[in-house]
Amino acid sequence: MDEQHRSGCPINLALEVVGDRWSLIVIRDIIFGNRRHFRDLLTHSEEGIASNILSSRLKTLLDEGIITRADDPTHKQKGVYSLTEKGIELLPVLAQLAAWGYKYLPVTEELGIRARLLHEGGPKLWAEFMDELREMHLGQKRKHKGPSVFAKLRAAYEAVVAKKKRK
Amino acid sequence: MDEQHRSGCPINLALEVVGDRWSLIVIRDIIFGNRRHFRDLLTHSEEGIASNILSSRLKTLLDEGIITRADDPTHKQKGVYSLTEKGIELLPVLAQLAAWGYKYLPVTEELGIRARLLHEGGPKLWAEFMDELREMHLGQKRKHKGPSVFAKLRAAYEAVVAKKKRK
DNA sequence: ACAACCAGTTGCAAAAAGCAATCACTTGGA
DNA sequence: TCCAAGTGATTGCTTTTTGCAACTGGTTGT
């Protein structure tokens, strides 16, 4: 059970934790979609994750201290997943990855809009977003004022979807 | 052969390309270790990559346009792998991943020093480094003057190794 | 009472990773 | 000239991970 690490390199260690095809997808949906329940992550998944894989990933992320799980008072079986600070700080990784994908890969318009805004906003916007995530997941009070980055990203996405529908 | 994408999300598309345990390790060794030959990547790998996996990853990275391969004039069988602009622009992703790993995972001192310097230098240092990489891999002339970031990172690493040896 | 909802688990097949040995060729030195 | 060392891989094999579909056992609302 004592997992041996391949090396003590930070990049390698990070890849051992989130270097697979699904972990960061789950984190992405928690961050940008605010999906907090198992079913929510399962059925709204753009990519169609299987339930056993989702289950296994959530377990790993729990073990690694990237997310936590709490009981939902409204439903005895429902669990609420929240990001830890360690999980929230994966946002810059996701942002850079998204920027790279947006620039070089065949991204669809509606799914690319968030990557664009995040890229244009830069580290300052990321920090604001992380501040909001700390409020949403850790119950800390927001430091920055003004409109929510989360809401702005969502609104931009909805606008693109609406525009495409009209055509 | 026409691979179907799981979705048009930039994060997902990026993960489909480099979201595995080895691709970014190879890129890391090319960038930070300046390893340009198959054998070089194979035998100096900190993590001990197997030859068939290295072979397969290099093929994928070639197909994706992240690296190119040229014949080495000094040896008919030797190939020289170089980064493309698309590959060079993975540096910010590596830097963020390294920063996260450095902060939260059991990184060894000698392998963590580069992550620390890269983090402290921030996007400005990354840009300088990418400028150097364009010189090393694409034959473009460097725009910025002054000491090489590549050399600084290497020197810092050597210094830590030397210090540990003395003890 | 019962259908819909919830968080998973199980069993099985396919794909990928990992390991050791081998291959076909090139180079440099005795 | 010959042969060891070096080159970039490939092959065959086992183990591990992924992916899919069906299922389980409990909860909630009507």
Side-chain angles (χ1 to χ4, degrees), chain A residues 10 15 21 25-28 36 42 51 66 86 98 110 121:
Chain A
L15 288 174
R21 281 175 142 56
I25 294 282
V26 173
I27 304 283
R28 177 202 67 185
R36 309 290 289 273
L42 185 69
S51 63
I66 290 169
K86 186 174 174 182
E110 67 269 32

Side-chain angles (χ1 to χ4, degrees), chain A residues 48-78:
Chain A
I49 191 169
S51 63
N52 56 346
I53 293 171
L54 175 58
S55 174
S56 133
R57 287 315 119 123
L58 288 172
K59 245 177 234 150
T60 311
L61 293 173
L62 279 168
D63 287 349
E64 293 290 339
I66 290 169
I67 58 175
T68 55
R69 197 204 128 115
D71 290 336
D72 186 329
T74 72
H75 191 302
K76 277 192 181 154
Q77 260 184 319
K78 239 170 166 174

